[in-house]
Amino acid sequence: MPVYFEVALPVPLDRTFTYTAPDMQAPRRGCRVIAPFRNEKLIGVVTAVEVEAPADFEVRRVEAVLDDEPLLSEHLMALAGWVAQYYIAPLGEVLRAMLPLMAEVRRSVFYRITDLGRDVLAKSVDGDGELSHSLRKGGEKHGTQSLWGGDRDIERRVLERLMPGEPVKVSTLRTATAVSLPVLAGMVRKKWIARETAAAERDARRMERYVMLIPETRLPRLTEKQQAILAELAACGGELPLAELRRKALPSSTLLTLVRRELVRIEERPAKFHLGAIAPAGPEFALNGTQTQAMELVISALGGFKSFLLHGVTGSGKTAVYLAAMQRALERGMSSILLVPEIGLTPQMAGLLDRAFGSKVALLHSALTPEERSEQWRRIRRGEAPVVVGTRSAIFAPAPNLGLILVDEEHDGSYKQEETPRYHARDVAVMRAKLAGAVVVLGSATPSLESWQNAAQGKYARVTMSERVMNRPLPAVELIDMRREFQETGQEQLFSRSLISQTKAALERGEQALILLNRRGYSFVVMCRACGEKLECRNCAIALTHHKPAGEEAEVARAGQRLECHYCGYRRTVPTRCPKCDSEHLYYLGAGSQQGEERLAEIFPFARMGRMDRDSVRGRHDLERLLARLHTGEINLLVGTQMIAKGHDIHGVTLVGVVGCDHALALPDFRAAERVFQLMTQVSGRAGRGDLPGRVVVQTYYPDHYAVRAATAHDYESFAARELKYRRWMHYPPYSALANVLVQSQKLEEAAKWSAALGKWFEASPPENVRVLGPCTAPIARIKGVYRFHLILKSNSRRALSVALRGMLAQADAAGVPRRSVVVDVDALRLM
């Protein structure tokens, strides 16, 4: 008798799907299956078993059951349900985010010819002219521009190759016909061919090949290169990884000859995973009284659910408290998860954990390869790595007997996912701890106002660490009014006189300095001085950023230099003349980290410069190398974006310069003041963490703004009190629940029509206890060729907000608005 079960698939639909497995035992809840869905083969997760068969349609069979046992425990399945409910996200997409195991499934794309494609090909038998007519007619019929020139012949070759009727793999089809992916996509839109996918399980273990000496072998006459290989192997204990042998420039052909002569053999072994850890230098220190008190409060709660807000000033030793608490949890047989906001912090944190826990540490973040992520996930699930460190997705790690969750720098916006499911890892951490009966610790020197308010209401227990370790003083802060600087010098300068003189003095004393310039690139605007036109991205409603090759002039735009959009990646060269008025007067305005590095190199030619931003650090190995150079003192002057403010513990840094971070105060965002305060405080905290006192120079055009003043005084409580008063007046979080609804389409008319329809629906049936603002054009009206309108919903009742959002989605579905075109961001951090 067939058994029916519900499967959540990674599609933008708020429902599950019924499948059957008549020829096999029904999978259990939490197992993965390969399920057919339209023309696709998707990886889904079983959410319910032994359900009733639907009467109104035929139930399809799953292709395969991938797991004998559930991969997700009941509390993780419950957590997935909560995330889907709270963030108004499809359950299948939530479960996909929780299972980083795509490396274990091989996906293939196939194409097959349709009946319409056969008709088009049949009409072409009279010659190219008839095919051209068919192509033109088909393009007109389906609203697509017909393809001419070489593409016309390529389309015919594709149809001829698919004519036998069997699906053809995309790689085979492209090799046989030289067709490009855009042409195939165009043929799918014209319905001449159909796209299908297939999925099959694969072995995702990473293997490494080793070359090994065969002992007790009588050596024949050998060439010089053969002798070199054997000598290298003998010197390394008789075996060496093949990759390492190749790096020594020893020829592969010589190695194969030795294999044939049975002097060496090659075998495969599971590859070892390297944490890429950077352990900060310096002796271990015992916990001081404040740290010990904080740790004892945390460990006394182990074994049950409790939430802590650990508010410690920068340099107060919160990380040491984390490590000590994790050690105590491990001694009790409990697993721990430590979240860090940026991949940039994982090497340093992994180094500390590796030194403390060795092979019991697992690492999870997006910079790992799919195979590495799968391997680490499996180690955690098997209980081999009870200590987990990673970025936001690590909150879903399948740690058995979870006892402790720590969220470092809990205020950081990186914990909020910017794509579906749009969860906040900090809030998910609290809910997971509640479901698992674990302790959760949210740590920060600048807590989010939501967490601060939760602590004030008694939802979190607040633990304060108000002094730095070893009684080190907080850095002295000097505020530079850049308006007065301009009046006194008569010039607009990137760096003030005080910052230059103090940087010079620090470098001459053999100390290190950090300069925060929170903009990427060289200049963030290229403008025509004649007509005022800005050069914008062709896909986004945003100015292009100038990235200047080394050795070019700084002010006048020159053809050949690169302009880049930081939203979609579009690139172009700088035109010789203004595209609007044909003027030659194109100029760069604004300064980014690249320009900051260049100016500092001119001022301090003796400095050992470095730069940390998304352009200089493109992968985790780049970051590891840069941090290693910084820790060893090879770099003594580092300029960078907010990446340099994220918790790095460099004892040689005594001076921090803050340049232009207050521009965010002018953005249309109610969180702007909070972000500026947090960034200024965090980057200031990089100074004076060693034996020498630190100093901070803050350049600002808003010296009287309360966020700037409070950051200068290291006074979080006064800032929080004033900002919370403003939030209460305006009914913004944490005094209300907020959601941002984006309505988007590649056609401006569609996006405007759909958003207007939703706005009229809210007017006709206003939701109870929910205030709706909009619709209106989003602050950034177009991104990646997609036009954007938005509505903001606020409510004192989270339940009422959820009901209103679900009602809106139902109305959008009834009105024919595609689900992917309506993006719901609950607890949105960014409204741009």
Side-chain angles (χ1 to χ4, degrees):
M1 180 178 177
V3 178
Y4 301 98
F5 45 89
E6 292 295 308
V7 177
L9 296 175
V11 293
L13 298 172
D14 298 301
R15 53 161 297 187
T16 57
F17 301 87
T18 306
Y19 286 89
T20 183
D23 300 329
M24 61 187 82
Q25 185 179 359
R28 296 162 62 186
R29 172 175 156 90
C31 291
R32 295 172 302 157
V33 296
I34 299 178
F37 184 80
R38 297 176 182 167
N39 292 330
E40 307 277 331
K41 301 292 189 298
L42 302 178
I43 312 300
V45 177
V46 177
T47 59
V49 295
E50 297 182 1
V51 300
E52 293 185 4
D56 52 346
F57 61 87
E58 182 181 355
V59 179
R60 302 176 73 179
R61 302 181 183 184
V62 295
E63 297 279 327
V65 177
L66 298 179
D67 308 304
D68 297 327
E69 300 179 345
L71 279 188
L72 297 174
S73 64
E74 278 302 316
H75 99 258
L76 280 177
M77 290 294 292
L79 181 66
W82 178 85
V83 171
Q85 180 73 21
Y86 184 91
Y87 292 103
I88 321 293
L91 179 58
E93 297 196 334
V94 173
L95 290 167
R96 176 175 59 181
M98 295 179 73
L99 288 168
L101 302 176
M102 291 309 297
E104 298 182 3
V105 177
R106 179 182 289 106
R107 296 180 62 85
S108 304
V109 177
F110 295 85
Y111 288 92
R112 61 175 177 82
I113 193 169
T114 63
D115 291 340
L116 181 59
R118 293 180 188 276
D119 292 343
V120 170
L121 186 61
K123 291 176 182 178
S124 71
V125 296
D126 295 333
D128 287 350
E130 185 65 28
L131 178 63
S132 300
H133 175 73
S134 299
L135 289 171
R136 185 164 54 252
K137 185 177 179 181
E140 292 168 358
K141 180 178 179 181
H142 297 283
T144 357
Q145 185 178 359
S146 126
L147 298 167
W148 294 88
D151 288 339
R152 182 188 63 188
D153 295 331
I154 290 173
E155 285 183 323
R156 185 198 313 192
R157 290 201 298 269
V158 170
L159 294 176
E160 289 174 346
R161 178 66 180 82
L162 297 176
M163 190 60 186
E166 293 295 324
V168 177
K169 198 172 182 179
V170 61
S171 56
T172 304
L173 189 61
R174 294 187 68 186
T175 301
T177 64
V179 65
S180 64
L181 293 178
V183 172
L184 287 173
M187 296 179 73
V188 171
R189 286 195 299 269
K190 289 184 283 190
K191 299 183 180 179
W192 294 353
I193 61 175
R195 183 181 183 274
E196 300 176 348
T197 64
E201 196 171 7
R202 65 179 287 264
D203 186 356
R205 290 179 301 171
R206 296 181 307 114
M207 305 300 290
E208 190 172 11
R209 302 178 75 189
Y210 275 76
V211 181
M212 307 184 67
L213 273 176
I214 297 177
E216 300 178 2
T217 301
R218 187 172 181 178
L219 295 180
R221 177 174 294 181
L222 301 172
T223 66
E224 183 178 341
K225 293 179 180 178
Q226 291 170 346
Q227 291 177 18
I229 291 177
L230 296 179
E232 190 70 36
L233 291 172
C236 297
E239 63 180 48
L240 202 62
L242 179 59
E244 188 173 333
L245 196 62
R246 284 175 174 165
R247 282 196 295 268
K248 298 179 181 295
L250 297 171
S252 300
S253 58
T254 305
L255 178 61
L256 292 176
T257 301
L258 292 174
V259 172
R260 285 196 301 269
R261 299 177 74 173
E262 298 184 350
L263 299 175
V264 301
R265 69 174 184 271
I266 299 176
E267 66 177 38
E268 284 191 342
R269 301 177 186 172
K272 295 180 180 178
F273 179 78
H274 301 285
L275 284 177
I278 298 173
E284 297 284 349
F285 56 85
L287 299 184
N288 60 27
T290 304
Q291 290 172 310
T292 301
Q293 183 180 9
M295 181 202 66
E296 288 177 347
L297 285 171
V298 171
I299 63 174
S300 66
L302 288 175
F305 169 62
K306 192 173 180 68
S307 303
F308 291 92
L309 175 62
L310 181 58
H311 178 213
V313 298
T314 56
S316 59
K318 295 184 291 295
T319 302
V321 175
Y322 300 157
L323 295 179
M326 294 169 85
Q327 180 66 55
R328 297 295 183 88
L330 190 61
E331 290 171 358
R332 300 187 186 187
M334 297 177 177
S335 299
S336 303
I337 297 176
L338 172 59
L339 300 184
V340 293
E342 291 272 2
I343 294 173
L345 287 179
T346 50
Q348 178 174 305
M349 195 64 76
L352 292 169
L353 294 173
D354 183 58
R355 191 164 65 182
F357 305 110
S359 61
K360 296 179 180 179
V361 179
L363 190 62
L364 280 177
H365 58 71
S366 59
L368 301 178
T369 66
E371 291 77 13
E372 288 173 335
R373 294 184 75 187
S374 175
E375 175 187 299
Q376 293 295 293
W377 195 91
R378 293 285 185 181
R379 286 184 63 226
I380 297 167
R381 186 173 179 274
R382 291 193 298 265
E384 297 173 7
V387 177
V388 182
V389 60
T391 49
R392 60 175 176 262
S393 61
I395 190 56
F396 300 122
N401 194 24
L402 181 63
L404 180 63
I405 303 175
L406 304 124
V407 184
D408 190 29
E409 310 293 358
E410 64 87 28
H411 67 276
D412 199 284
S414 300
Y415 285 124
K416 186 73 162 74
Q417 176 99 334
E418 294 298 330
E419 57 189 26
T420 304
R422 294 171 179 261
Y423 66 90
H424 198 302
R426 176 198 63 213
D427 299 332
V428 175
V430 175
M431 179 52 65
R432 180 166 185 190
K434 182 177 181 179
L435 293 172
V439 172
V440 60
V441 179
L442 313 179
S444 178
T446 54
S448 64
L449 292 178
E450 288 84 354
S451 296
W452 187 257
Q453 184 68 5
N454 282 335
Q457 293 174 347
K459 295 179 181 179
Y460 302 162
R462 190 165 76 200
V463 180
T464 302
M465 299 169 63
S466 56
E467 294 182 355
R468 283 187 159 187
V469 296
M470 302 176 71
N471 294 318
R472 291 168 181 154
L474 287 166
V477 182
E478 178 184 355
L479 203 60
I480 305 296
D481 186 345
M482 294 303 288
R483 301 169 302 179
R484 180 176 298 175
E485 184 81 6
F486 176 75
Q487 293 172 356
E488 294 176 357
T489 63
Q491 299 180 59
E492 187 74 35
Q493 296 289 350
L494 181 56
F495 302 114
S496 64
R497 293 166 296 174
S498 177
L499 179 57
I500 290 173
S501 64
Q502 293 192 52
T503 303
K504 181 180 179 181
L507 296 179
E508 288 177 346
R509 292 193 300 266
E511 300 162 5
Q512 293 172 291
L514 302 182
I515 307 294
L516 171 71
L517 189 51
N518 199 25
R519 290 273 197 167
R520 283 173 58 194
Y522 193 88
S523 301
F524 45 83
V525 175
V526 179
M527 177 178 287
C528 174
R529 287 286 177 87
C531 69
E533 180 77 1
K534 290 189 300 183
L535 295 186
E536 289 195 346
C537 174
R538 70 179 182 185
N539 304 316
C540 309
I542 201 77
L544 291 168
T545 300
H546 171 229
H547 290 257
K548 174 178 158 305
E552 297 276 351
E553 285 187 29
E555 294 183 2
V556 181
R558 298 187 181 278
Q561 296 177 345
R562 176 167 60 92
L563 299 176
E564 182 175 341
C565 175
H566 291 163
Y567 283 83
C568 71
Y570 168 71
R571 294 182 179 186
R572 62 159 296 175
T573 57
V574 178
T576 54
R577 310 184 75 86
C578 173
K580 182 176 181 180
C581 70
D582 202 39
S583 168
E584 62 182 4
H585 300 294
L586 294 177
Y587 284 87
Y588 299 130
L589 301 175
S593 55
Q594 189 183 21
Q595 185 175 157
E597 180 187 32
E598 181 183 275
R599 296 285 178 87
L600 289 170
E602 293 171 355
I603 299 170
F604 307 111
F606 55 87
R608 303 184 297 278
M609 289 286 303
R611 189 174 94 241
M612 183 185 289
D613 56 26
R614 294 297 179 196
D615 301 307
S616 61
V617 178
R618 296 192 175 274
R620 78 177 196 265
H621 298 301
D622 295 334
L623 182 60
E624 290 164 9
R625 285 190 289 268
L626 182 60
L627 289 175
R629 293 174 62 203
L630 194 59
H631 278 283
T632 59
E634 184 180 342
I635 293 174
N636 64 358
L637 180 56
L638 181 71
V639 61
T641 57
Q642 61 182 349
M643 292 177 71
I644 70 174
K646 298 292 181 73
H648 303 296
D649 187 21
I650 315 296
H651 286 196
V653 174
T654 59
L655 178 69
V656 168
V658 182
V659 179
C661 84
D662 56 359
H663 72 276
L665 293 172
L667 294 176
D669 188 345
F670 73 92
R671 298 184 192 272
E674 183 180 9
R675 289 201 181 98
V676 169
F677 173 84
Q678 289 169 343
L679 181 58
M680 289 181 62
T681 302
Q682 291 290 335
V683 74
S684 298
R686 300 316 105 202
R689 298 172 78 94
D691 296 330
L692 298 174
R695 187 166 182 81
V696 182
V697 178
V698 177
Q699 298 182 182
T700 179
Y701 286 92
Y702 303 95
D704 298 322
H705 196 283
Y706 65 93
V708 176
R709 285 288 180 184
T712 301
H714 306 290
D715 189 353
Y716 175 83
E717 294 194 19
S718 71
F719 167 77
R722 184 158 181 178
E723 182 70 10
L724 284 171
K725 186 182 298 184
Y726 159 69
R727 300 279 183 93
R728 187 184 301 112
W729 288 342
M730 302 303 295
H731 300 285
Y732 278 123
Y735 297 103
S736 69
L738 179 145
N740 187 34
V741 178
L742 273 175
V743 182
Q744 52 190 19
S745 172
Q746 291 184 336
K747 297 180 180 178
L748 175 61
E749 299 79 8
E750 280 187 344
K753 181 179 72 173
W754 292 340
S755 61
L758 293 180
K760 290 178 181 177
W761 179 78
F762 276 122
E763 287 180 1
S765 53
E768 185 178 356
N769 199 24
V770 176
R771 185 181 180 189
V772 181
L773 307 178
C776 65
T777 306
I780 302 178
R782 191 175 81 258
I783 293 179
K784 297 182 180 179
V786 175
Y787 293 92
R788 310 163 76 241
F789 290 76
H790 76 150
L791 304 93
I792 296 175
L793 279 67
K794 295 194 293 184
S795 176
N796 294 328
S797 166
R798 193 165 289 281
R799 182 182 296 275
L801 178 67
S802 180
V803 169
L805 291 170
R806 293 194 179 278
M808 178 204 67
L809 289 176
Q811 173 63 23
D813 183 58
V817 181
R819 179 64 173 88
R820 286 194 185 278
S821 296
V822 183
V823 177
V824 178
D825 190 1
V826 177
D827 295 342
L829 292 188
R830 304 185 186 279
L831 305 178
M832 302 296 286

